[in-house]
Amino acid sequence: MNIRLEEFSEQLKNYCENLAYNGLNLITQESIREIEFFLQNASQLEAYRLATSLRYLHVELKRFLGSSAAFNIERYVFFLSNCWLQCRAFITFTQSKKKDTDFFRSLMGTLSESKVMSLIILRLAGVEKVLLEGTMIGLVFYLVSLYGKTRGSILKWNLMFPYKKDLNPDVMFQLSLPNSDPPCTVEKILSNYFETEDIPCAIKEGNIFLEKNPNSKIFIEENSDDTVTILKLEKFYLDSEEIYNKLMKEEVTPFDLPTIFLDYLYIKQVKFIDCYKEEEKEKRIPVFVYVIDHEKKYPLFIRIPNKKINQTLITKLNVKD
Amino acid sequence: MAIYNPDEIFSILDSIKPRLNEILIKGVESISRENYSEITQLREKLEYMNLKSLNQELDSFLVNIDQILQAKISREMRSSLAENALQIITIIRLYERMMTLQIILNKLKKKK
């Protein structure tokens, strides 16, 4: 496997360097097919971390080729350099005499062995909608654990499905939640506390991932009327020190939801000095902009898209439409 | 050793990044004398800041660009130039991350 991984890494490293040298002038459908081939190989080799970077690179290259307004240069360069860096790490690892297996697991993005948790009480803290064109579609829930050993930790729960043309992440909120009691739709998670029984958890780089299990049960607490998830977090001691520890443990990029999520956490500690609604013709969804006073001399701006999921938060923050 | 304001370093890194991004989008052969002198000026600003690995990589990048501008580029040099560019991006990311952590850490120390 190591020989194949080394060859694969060499090929992908050269591909990245060619892209860097030639720029995007020579990009064709053939280049897209090449990257799809790399993506398949990375998945077969179970190099999940690399596969994730390749997916984003694939999306950006397709956007560029389709002259899409969504193409983002910084994002493209970020994932190009990520792929290149990981290939270099694989090559160095396979050529080194002393093999550090923990480093290899971390490079591959492999989860630790999962443990079944008998009971967890959870509250939603954030949702990421994922749409990987032609590959996968779904929702990633960021949850705060309110009970037991995991109390105060952030847990991630992926509800991912193979890509279908008519399916979009918004439609997925209306799908029924597997093994829920009483039976309900995924949307219920947005506004209710819930409990899970016998759900496997695996830890990766300080994050706890909830895994799929047909035997896991989900109990929805019907009477919870509190829908502002963010304000609840203060109760669970997510302060700037914990945020610092999180930053120490994982790479946070401007494109990751956790960055936005951390910004949300900061909101409750600061004073709002202005807020207004920003509407651009190109953007379909208006964005509420919160201008925030903090220790620095310049104000901090936080943008919250005017989406259904953010409505209660927007209302609570007293911003008039 | 002189202590530099993180904002000053961030501002130089922020000036280098868009220039590198442009090169990676348009291709290395699109580099002009103007780009070369802009990057050289930024490199000079970094001279006395203690960012050794970034300075070394930028030096090597500028030597390679100079060869391109004189149309003396070989196949090996192409690969080396692409490596330089990607390496600089990686180093900038690393510095940004380290400085962000340092800023947060200083804030936490002040609070205590």
Side-chain angles (χ1 to χ4, degrees), chain A residues 83-96:
Chain A
C83 291
W84 177 79
L85 193 61
Q86 286 178 71
C87 289
R88 269 189 53 169
F90 279 131
I91 294 166
T92 311
F93 177 83
T94 49
Q95 289 172 352
S96 68

Side-chain angles (χ1 to χ4, degrees), chain A residues 157-210:
Chain A
W157 188 28
N158 296 347
L159 263 183
M160 304 296 282
F161 295 89
Y163 179 79
K164 279 183 189 170
K165 206 178 177 184
D166 299 327
L167 198 62
N168 68 56
D170 290 318
V171 173
M172 292 183 64
F173 284 118
Q174 304 306 324
L175 297 178
S176 63
L177 193 62
N179 296 343
S180 55
D181 182 13
C184 62
T185 58
V186 173
E187 199 175 26
K188 278 275 180 189
I189 292 179
L190 302 183
S191 56
N192 293 274
Y193 287 87
F194 67 103
E195 294 177 11
T196 63
E197 245 183 40
D198 301 329
I199 193 160
C201 296
I203 297 175
K204 188 176 100 178
E205 294 162 4
N207 287 318
I208 303 173
F209 289 81
L210 302 181

Side-chain angles (χ1 to χ4, degrees), chain B residues 3-14 45-46 49:
Chain B
I3 297 169
Y4 291 92
N5 181 352
D7 288 344
E8 205 179 329
I9 301 177
F10 269 125
S11 127
I12 299 176
L13 298 183
D14 282 347
K45 281 188 189 173
L46 285 173
M49 295 179 183

Side-chain angles (χ1 to χ4, degrees), chain B residues 39-95:
Chain B
I39 297 174
T40 309
Q41 278 170 20
L42 291 167
R43 163 70 185 89
E44 280 165 11
K45 281 188 189 173
L46 285 173
E47 180 68 44
Y48 302 106
M49 295 179 183
N50 198 21
L51 307 175
K52 202 176 163 188
S53 49
L54 181 60
N55 286 345
Q56 282 174 350
E57 206 61 43
L58 276 170
D59 284 342
S60 163
F61 186 62
L62 286 167
V63 168
N64 282 331
I65 291 179
D66 192 43
Q67 297 287 313
I68 285 193
L69 293 169
Q70 292 177 36
K72 285 181 185 170
I73 189 147
S74 63
R75 181 181 281 257
E76 292 75 34
M77 211 177 278
R78 285 182 182 203
S79 166
S80 153
L81 195 66
E83 260 194 58
N84 280 151
L86 291 163
Q87 185 88 352
I88 292 168
I89 288 166
T90 308
I91 295 171
I92 289 178
R93 271 171 61 185
L94 184 70
Y95 278 128

Side-chain angles (χ1 to χ4, degrees), chain A residues 110-139:
Chain A
T110 319
L111 291 172
S112 64
E113 218 168 285
S114 58
K115 287 179 185 169
V116 174
M117 303 288 280
S118 55
L119 175 72
I120 313 179
I121 302 176
L122 298 162
R123 188 71 175 91
L124 187 78
V127 183
E128 183 182 16
K129 292 175 189 174
V130 181
L131 177 60
L132 298 167
E133 287 165 69
T135 319
M136 287 189 112
I137 186 163
L139 301 162

Side-chain angles (χ1 to χ4, degrees), chain A residues 37-293:
Chain A
F37 175 71
F38 284 129
L39 189 49
Q40 282 167 11
N41 274 331
S43 303
Q44 274 176 16
L45 288 165
E46 297 181 351
Y48 300 119
R49 188 188 284 267
L50 181 58
T52 306
S53 292
L54 274 168
R55 268 192 209 115
Y56 283 108
L57 188 62
H58 177 250
V59 168
E60 286 306 315
L61 286 175
K62 272 183 85 173
R63 283 177 177 164
F64 176 81
L65 209 57
S67 306
S68 162
F71 172 72
N72 182 315
I73 296 175
E74 286 185 1
R75 195 181 165 97
Y76 161 72
V77 172
F78 181 87
F79 287 108
L80 176 69
S81 74
N82 250 10
C83 291
W84 177 79
L85 193 61
Q86 286 178 71
C87 289
R88 269 189 53 169
F90 279 131
I91 294 166
T92 311
F93 177 83
T94 49
Q95 289 172 352
S96 68
K97 285 177 188 166
K98 202 180 169 186
K99 308 284 186 208
D100 179 345
T101 45
D102 285 344
F103 173 66
F104 185 69
R105 282 177 78 90
S106 142
L107 267 182
M108 297 290 272
T110 319
L111 291 172
S112 64
E113 218 168 285
S114 58
K115 287 179 185 169
V116 174
M117 303 288 280
S118 55
L119 175 72
I120 313 179
I121 302 176
L122 298 162
R123 188 71 175 91
L124 187 78
V127 183
E128 183 182 16
K129 292 175 189 174
V130 181
L131 177 60
L132 298 167
E133 287 165 69
T135 319
M136 287 189 112
I137 186 163
L139 301 162
V140 180
F141 292 101
Y142 291 77
L143 307 148
V144 182
S145 169
L146 311 182
Y147 177 80
K149 283 182 187 172
T150 55
R151 185 186 155 134
S153 308
I154 299 294
L155 284 72
K156 282 188 185 181
W157 188 28
N158 296 347
L159 263 183
M160 304 296 282
F161 295 89
Y163 179 79
K164 279 183 189 170
K165 206 178 177 184
D166 299 327
L167 198 62
N168 68 56
D170 290 318
V171 173
M172 292 183 64
F173 284 118
Q174 304 306 324
L175 297 178
S176 63
L177 193 62
N179 296 343
S180 55
D181 182 13
C184 62
T185 58
V186 173
E187 199 175 26
K188 278 275 180 189
I189 292 179
L190 302 183
S191 56
N192 293 274
Y193 287 87
F194 67 103
E195 294 177 11
T196 63
E197 245 183 40
D198 301 329
I199 193 160
C201 296
I203 297 175
K204 188 176 100 178
E205 294 162 4
N207 287 318
I208 303 173
F209 289 81
L210 302 181
E211 295 177 348
K212 275 185 186 169
N213 178 359
N215 300 322
S216 300
K217 286 180 181 165
I218 295 170
F219 301 103
I220 302 291
E221 192 180 311
E222 274 294 330
N223 297 325
S224 52
D225 54 356
D226 161 40
T227 52
V228 184
T229 59
I230 293 310
L231 297 178
K232 291 299 292 182
L233 292 179
E234 195 166 24
K235 199 173 149 188
F236 302 107
Y237 317 111
L238 282 157
D239 59 13
S240 50
E241 187 147 5
E242 287 185 43
I243 291 168
Y244 171 73
N245 288 333
K246 273 181 197 302
L247 286 167
M248 282 293 284
K249 283 181 190 160
E250 59 193 285
E251 179 155 9
V252 179
T253 75
F255 321 113
D256 292 339
L257 182 91
T259 312
I260 302 166
F261 177 62
L262 293 176
D263 284 344
Y264 276 92
L265 293 181
Y266 274 124
I267 290 178
K268 64 182 165 46
Q269 303 287 354
V270 294
K271 187 179 154 198
F272 294 99
I273 50 178
D274 193 15
C275 50
Y276 52 88
K277 197 174 173 184
E278 196 178 67
E279 279 180 281
E280 285 178 32
K281 280 181 187 172
E282 295 156 16
K283 288 181 185 171
R284 278 172 38 233
I285 301 166
V287 172
F288 286 109
V289 183
Y290 299 86
V291 188
I292 286 162
D293 193 13

